[in-house]
Amino acid sequence: MPNDPQQLDEQQPPDEPTTPPTPQPDDQPQPSEAQQPDEPTENEPTPEPEPDVFPRAYIERLRKENADYRNRAKAADDLAKRLHTELVRATGKLADPTDMPFDAEHLEDPDKLTASIDQLLSVKPHLKARRIVGAVGQGESGTTTGVDLLGIMQGRA
């Protein structure tokens, strides 16, 4: 409805006081819209920006240095895992020390290592190290119950 007073109010902007532009002194040059100081003119060639390029030898040296650091980090990780396995083996609680997953905190705190091993054994008791105790029927026992051939031969002589 074009005759609705609310729509007419919305279409017309409210009356606000406008400030006239401040006059500039005549001694300052007025920038013209046709000339921009940043843009080159038609006769001037556009300057090509120089690419950020480093010498090839420098790049190769940086790549080699980074490769060395990556190799060192990999070697350090491998050594940390080996140390972790040996620390688990030293506790004697697990049959296979590689069953304990690697955790870097175990290298710093032996109490956390022991607690983690105990928790693993409570969840998976079949991983516990077994020690054989007592006579198992193998090896020298100290008593002879069998036939003594040398004694028999000496007794007949």
Side-chain angles (χ1 to χ4, degrees):
M1 294 190 185
N3 295 335
D4 189 19
Q6 289 179 348
Q7 285 183 352
L8 290 176
D9 288 341
E10 289 176 5
Q11 291 175 359
Q12 296 176 355
D15 293 334
E16 293 181 10
T18 57
T19 58
T22 57
Q24 295 182 352
D26 291 334
D27 55 44
Q28 291 183 355
Q30 297 289 330
S32 67
E33 291 181 14
Q35 286 185 342
Q36 296 275 336
D38 294 340
E39 294 180 15
T41 59
E42 292 177 16
N43 298 338
E44 236 180 87
T46 56
E48 301 265 341
E50 291 188 26
D52 293 335
V53 178
F54 293 100
R56 183 173 188 84
Y58 178 72
I59 298 295
E60 288 174 356
R61 184 174 55 98
L62 285 177
R63 287 181 179 166
K64 183 181 181 309
E65 184 179 334
N66 286 335
D68 290 341
Y69 286 136
R70 285 191 303 271
N71 290 338
R72 277 191 208 169
K74 184 179 179 187
D77 289 344
D78 292 341
L79 289 174
K81 288 178 183 176
R82 286 176 53 194
L83 176 62
H84 183 266
T85 302
E86 292 306 314
L87 289 173
V88 171
R89 184 185 319 266
T91 62
K93 292 183 177 185
L94 293 176
D96 184 11
T98 58
D99 289 335
M100 184 69 194
F102 175 75
D103 188 0
E105 291 181 7
H106 295 163
L107 300 176
E108 303 292 327
D109 190 6
D111 294 333
K112 280 188 178 182
L113 175 66
T114 305
S116 295
I117 292 173
D118 292 340
Q119 181 196 15
L120 178 66
L121 289 176
S122 68
V123 175
K124 299 181 179 183
H126 61 279
L127 298 178
K128 186 174 182 178
R130 293 174 180 88
R131 290 190 174 75
I132 299 173
V133 236
V136 292
Q138 290 184 339
E140 193 173 323
S141 62
T143 61
T144 57
T145 57
V147 179
D148 183 16
L149 292 176
L150 183 61
I152 295 173
M153 290 173 64
Q154 287 176 350
R156 290 191 179 192

